[in-house]
Amino acid sequence: MYYGFDIGGSKIALGVYDAARQLLFEKRVATPHDSYPAFLETITRLVEQADAQFAVKGHVGIGIPGMPETDAGLLYAANLPAASGHPVRADLSRLLDRDVRIDNDANCFALSEAWDDAFRHYPVVMGLILGTGVGGGLVINGKSVTGRNYITGEFGHTRLPIDAMTLLGWDIPIRRCGCGQHGCAETYLSGRGFAWLYHHFYHETLEAPEIIARWHGGDEQARAHVERFVDLLALCLGNWLTVVDAHLVVIGGGLSQFSYLTGALAERLPRSLLPVARTPRIEAARHGDAGGMRGAAFLHLTD
């Protein structure tokens, strides 16, 4: 059995999967905020319950929003104050008497999608999250690529390419990102960036769902805005694919629910790729909120 934990600031979600990657059991509890022992106990208790229910010693994988392990062996996650700064992987491996694996939640998202039955045959899978920010992960031959600092897949913190400046106008404000840098792609391509671009060009403040609703209603400004956004996304994705050269791109996050994006993106992407490059398959994510649990559980599948 494979146990996947999706741990966030408010909840800990456990999913238990069998060898066929089918979900057999799911449970959610509140994330302890004030006590590291309570944090460890919560996870340990859930694992023991699953072991007892299925009469096995399951494999444990955990996805967290942050850096799973620094050089000193410590977890760093700003919204997990009870666990941040502690040797979570080592402590849980000791308490549970098994190899506990931890990865970034964006990597777990990509891993979950890469192990979908329809996608398993693709050697290189790029997960792209278009949500509050822009992130993602990279999976090669079924295994997530973490990199030196667990930032593989932080596509949103690359800078806008020169073609994007031509598209948006050279007077476009170079926005400051939450990471401290200026001009990061996520400030324009995230859900908030989608809304900001609309305000910049049309001087009206709307949230992304409102703009998309207008698009569905045939509003000309919303239609023009979406076409510009798709062009911008294709330019940036073309740059990322020149480095990654993925066979499949899976798009998650709130904007992935806008189904027009994936088809339009596939049509426009070739203009931003090298002439010899073939356009990868582009799909919307299939597993939604369950992706974090699934990907964490599948951290053990490549053994």
Side-chain angles (χ1 to χ4, degrees), residues 68-82:
E69 198 164 34
T70 65
D71 288 347
L74 308 178
L75 178 143
Y76 174 76
N79 66 341
L80 299 177

Side-chain angles (χ1 to χ4, degrees), residues 75-239:
L75 178 143
Y76 174 76
N79 66 341
L80 299 177
S84 192
H86 293 279
V88 174
R89 187 192 61 79
D91 284 345
L92 284 174
S93 295
R94 172 179 51 81
L95 289 168
L96 295 171
D97 189 31
R98 70 197 78 183
D99 175 29
V100 173
R101 299 183 181 180
I102 305 180
D103 206 343
N104 179 272
D105 55 358
N107 289 339
C108 290
F109 153 75
L111 195 62
S112 168
E113 297 295 330
W115 278 93
D116 183 88
D117 287 342
F119 300 152
R120 281 186 61 195
H121 62 287
Y122 291 108
V124 181
V125 177
M126 173 182 172
L128 178 62
I129 301 171
L130 303 177
T132 304
V134 174
L138 181 64
V139 177
I140 298 179
N141 295 325
K143 186 177 179 62
S144 66
V145 179
T146 59
R148 172 66 177 81
N149 300 293
Y150 289 92
I151 60 173
T152 300
E154 289 287 359
F155 305 110
H157 294 294
T158 61
R159 309 299 184 268
L160 284 183
I162 190 170
D163 290 346
M165 305 302 294
T166 302
L167 171 69
L168 298 176
W170 287 92
D171 60 345
I172 192 81
I174 304 302
R175 306 183 68 207
R176 182 180 176 88
C177 180
C179 74
Q181 302 292 342
H182 291 78
C184 288
E186 87 163 24
T187 61
Y188 306 89
L189 292 176
S190 63
R192 290 181 295 190
F194 182 87
W196 181 89
L197 282 170
Y198 187 89
H199 179 268
H200 172 75
F201 285 104
Y202 303 113
H203 312 292
E204 186 178 4
T205 301
L206 296 174
E207 297 297 321
E210 296 174 295
I211 299 168
I212 293 169
R214 289 192 179 188
W215 181 91
H216 283 294
D219 181 86
E220 291 186 6
Q221 284 189 174
R223 293 259 169 176
H225 170 69
V226 167
E227 296 308 308
R228 183 188 299 111
F229 182 83
V230 173
D231 285 338
L232 177 62
L233 180 56
L235 289 170
C236 292
L237 181 56
N239 270 10

Side-chain angles (χ1 to χ4, degrees), residues 163 230-231 233-239 241-242 262-282:
D163 290 346
V230 173
D231 285 338
L233 180 56
L235 289 170
C236 292
L237 181 56
N239 270 10
L241 285 170
T242 300
T262 53
L265 185 58
E267 292 176 2
R268 274 169 240 192
L269 187 56
R271 288 179 279 176
S272 299
L273 297 174
L274 289 173
V276 298
R278 288 180 291 175
T279 305
R281 180 178 176 181
I282 299 176

